[in-house]
Amino acid sequence: EVQLVESGGGLVQPGGSLRLSCAASGFTFSDHYMDWVRQAPGKGLEWVGRIRNKANSYTTEYAASVKGRFTISRDDSKNSLYLQMNSLKTEDTAVYYCARRATASALDIWGQGTMVTVSS
Amino acid sequence: DIQMTQSPSSLSASVGDTVTITCRASQGISNSLAWFQQKPGKAPKSLIYATSSLQSGVPSKFSGSGSGTDFTLTISSLQPEDFATYYCQQYKSYPITFGQGTRLEIK
């Protein structure tokens, strides 16, 4: 079964850091670009960023709202995707989803999400 | 950035109805448009990619059309499980952007 499972969410103070993980199974993880998408409570979906595969040098793209604070990485040997979040703000409070980009360029598989709460 | 605007923001319909949701891009995105369904407390589910292609396992009651800047999602013969929030997304250029969502409610 193709599956993505996020972990690492929790409560963190403003200015703090948190690292999210996304474990992939059931497909060749190393072939795919991977995205992070977030959703603030009661709000819509917001794209956070993307990491390409090895063939594309693991290059990354970010939303302006997180650029310079968040870093996406991956470990293909562990079938894992990561989101390192630094200098967290209250407005980063959201459910964070990892998602797979299909070969047709659109996202096709999503994880169940992990909640991040930034509050003092 | 490409802005995606969905209309309506909310929609009431009855079981058995056919509904259409519109998504407009602030500039041309060719056919790089996807649709997602999200139910309360759940992860989004991918429905359509490349404007009109169904993701694997998605029933044919869902259909998409359009090109350039104007796109539609049509859902026919509404069933109780179809009442959810729907989002469009452009992936033509970075940053990838979503519409604000359309909440489909039971009348």
Side-chain angles (χ1 to χ4, degrees), chain A residues 30-41:
Chain A
S30 60
D31 285 349
H32 292 269
Y33 295 10
M34 296 295 297
D35 286 18
W36 287 98
V37 176
R38 68 184 180 182
Q39 186 170 36

Side-chain angles (χ1 to χ4, degrees), chain B residues 20-86:
Chain B
T20 297
I21 299 169
T22 297
C23 181
R24 174 164 288 176
S26 61
Q27 59 187 269
I29 59 170
S30 185
N31 72 334
S32 299
L33 191 283
W35 289 97
F36 303 91
Q37 175 194 66
Q38 188 179 34
K39 298 179 180 178
K42 300 296 185 181
K45 175 185 176 182
S46 301
L47 297 177
I48 286 173
Y49 65 96
T51 298
S52 59
S53 296
L54 291 179
Q55 291 284 0
S56 176
V58 174
S60 59
K61 63 186 304 179
F62 293 94
S63 62
S65 65
S67 68
T69 60
D70 294 314
F71 303 86
T72 60
L73 171 69
T74 299
I75 312 169
S76 61
S77 187
L78 283 170
Q79 297 301 305
E81 61 269 24
D82 300 328
F83 292 92
T85 299
Y86 293 85

